[in-house]
Amino acid sequence: MKVFKSKHTLVETLGHYRAQGKTIGLVPTMGMLHKGHLSLVSKAVEENDLAVCSIFVNPTQFNNKEDFDKYPKNIDADLELLNGVGCDVVFIPDQEQMYPDGASGEDFDFGDLTKNMEGKFRPGHFSGVAAIVKRLTSLVKPDRSYYGEKDYQQLLVVKSLFQKMGFKGEVIGCDILREKCGLAMSSRNERLSEGDKRKACFLYECLSDARDLLFRSEPKAVEAEIKSRFLLKPEFELEYFVIADEQTLKPLNHGDLSRARIFTAAHLSGVRLIDNLKV
Ligand code: AMP
């Protein structure tokens, strides 16, 4: 496994592989890797000649400085895990490599896709995501890029960015990996105590109960029922619990469940958790 810190050596090396007709798969991450990330990397290893994983905690996508400062890191463990699943190339740039002109805002407009949920509660977040995805994709020029459905709104934003920028590679959405109780695996879970991790399973309980309830009640009534359950759990600060069309991300008011997906975000002990579930 090769590790690069410089974008110039990365681009040069990948160029040699591309010239030999080899395909490249890219998995962008912010590190503190877990089985969810590794499932994306394994897919990239399987489906391409060369699997590239990037590790970069991207400052422009954080609208909360404390969240950025406290983002967990463990590069040595990450490298060991990546080596274990057969990753070929790891790119670990610093801020100067990715933002030589300073990490100032580049504005992107994704229309209705970013009006709700993460777009609403994290102003500027998706412009930051788009800025880093654009830069990484331009460097690596992947044939396939792998993004988790854990960040479902991000996945749609990345697909839209690829269209806007005319990037040729395929964007592949990957299933969410969960703990036994249903809690979505996340680097941020590392900041929860064991007790809080058990409490956090409540989020998945709500998503799966909502899915069942949707077969009997209208989406708005289901949202109201689940929100009332959060009132009985004062340890959670709920940001949103939304049932939406999974292609447009517009709230679903009634009827057709074939494109319905349930989205939630909540704070627990100062840690922001997000999850979603297809109906
Ligand atoms: P992050 O390091 O949080 O930016 O995540 C890097 C990539 O891994 C993103 O495409 C995420 O959607 C994906 N990812 C994070 N957690 C999971 C999970 N539990 N299951 C599958 N993919 C995930």
Side-chain angles (χ1 to χ4, degrees):
M1 188 172 76
K2 290 195 169 87
V3 180
F4 295 95
K5 292 190 174 172
S6 145
K7 61 185 175 191
H8 302 294
T9 22
L10 173 82
V11 167
E12 199 183 351
T13 308
L14 293 181
H16 291 312
Y17 283 104
R18 210 174 292 105
Q20 295 165 27
K22 299 207 160 145
T23 57
I24 299 174
L26 171 66
V27 183
T29 79
M30 298 203 297
M32 197 72 209
L33 302 181
H34 51 68
K35 285 185 188 150
H37 296 116
L38 297 179
S39 69
L40 272 57
V41 178
S42 297
K43 221 166 154 42
V45 169
E46 248 170 59
E47 297 178 354
N48 303 275
D49 297 315
L50 207 73
V52 180
C53 177
S54 62
I55 300 177
F56 179 63
V57 184
N58 174 35
T60 61
Q61 72 186 70
F62 285 82
N63 55 321
N64 176 330
K65 186 168 180 320
E66 193 189 350
D67 192 23
F68 175 67
D69 290 341
K70 287 192 174 168
Y71 202 84
K73 296 174 189 69
N74 191 345
I75 286 287
D76 292 341
D78 288 348
L79 292 176
E80 214 172 300
L81 290 169
L82 289 172
N83 200 26
V85 295
C87 184
D88 302 288
V89 170
V90 189
F91 179 43
I92 314 179
D94 61 12
Q95 219 162 296
E96 171 64 24
Q97 287 287 310
M98 295 318 293
Y99 296 106
D101 303 324
S104 64
E106 198 177 339
D107 253 344
F108 292 84
D109 184 3
F110 295 102
D112 284 345
L113 268 190
T114 52
K115 291 237 157 68
N116 292 316
M117 303 187 291
E118 296 301 286
K120 180 168 163 191
F121 284 90
R122 301 185 72 187
H125 170 66
F126 285 119
S127 280
V129 168
I132 193 65
V133 170
K134 182 179 132 188
R135 284 159 199 240
L136 288 170
T137 305
S138 304
L139 292 174
V140 175
K141 297 187 175 58
D143 297 276
R144 295 178 195 85
S145 302
Y146 298 82
Y147 290 86
E149 288 189 347
K150 161 83 171 24
D151 301 277
Y152 190 84
Q153 195 171 13
Q154 168 176 284
L155 170 64
L156 296 197
V157 164
V158 170
K159 284 185 175 169
S160 165
L161 177 75
F162 267 57
Q163 278 193 340
K164 272 187 208 297
M165 304 296 305
F167 289 143
K168 292 210 181 68
E170 200 182 338
V171 176
I172 298 171
C174 305
D175 290 345
I176 304 174
L177 257 74
R178 300 179 177 283
E179 306 287 353
K180 264 205 191 103
C181 74
L183 174 66
M185 289 180 183
S186 165
S187 306
R188 287 190 173 85
N189 294 353
E190 291 308 310
R191 290 177 49 208
L192 295 173
S193 67
E194 284 308 311
D196 278 341
K197 275 186 199 159
R198 280 192 294 277
K199 286 184 193 159
C201 304
F202 175 66
L203 283 187
Y204 182 73
E205 234 173 77
C206 288
L207 289 172
S208 53
D209 284 356
R211 180 168 63 179
D212 296 343
L213 287 168
L214 270 174
F215 292 98
R216 284 181 266 136
S217 309
E218 293 291 310
K220 289 295 158 210
V222 174
E223 286 176 11
E225 158 67 23
I226 301 291
K227 282 178 188 166
S228 73
R229 291 191 195 178
F230 273 92
L231 295 178
L232 303 173
K233 299 266 182 184
E235 63 272 35
F236 285 96
E237 192 192 316
L238 179 65
E239 271 188 359
Y240 60 80
F241 194 93
V242 173
I243 299 160
D245 179 303
E246 68 173 359
Q247 288 176 23
T248 64
L249 297 187
K250 288 191 177 146
L252 209 70
N253 293 315
H254 49 257
D256 184 12
L257 295 181
S258 65
R259 280 174 26 176
R261 193 174 272 264
I262 313 164
F263 299 86
T264 189
H267 294 259
L268 172 64
S269 300
V271 181
R272 189 171 184 278
L273 302 170
I274 64 169
D275 199 356
N276 69 84
L277 188 66
K278 185 170 171 52
V279 172

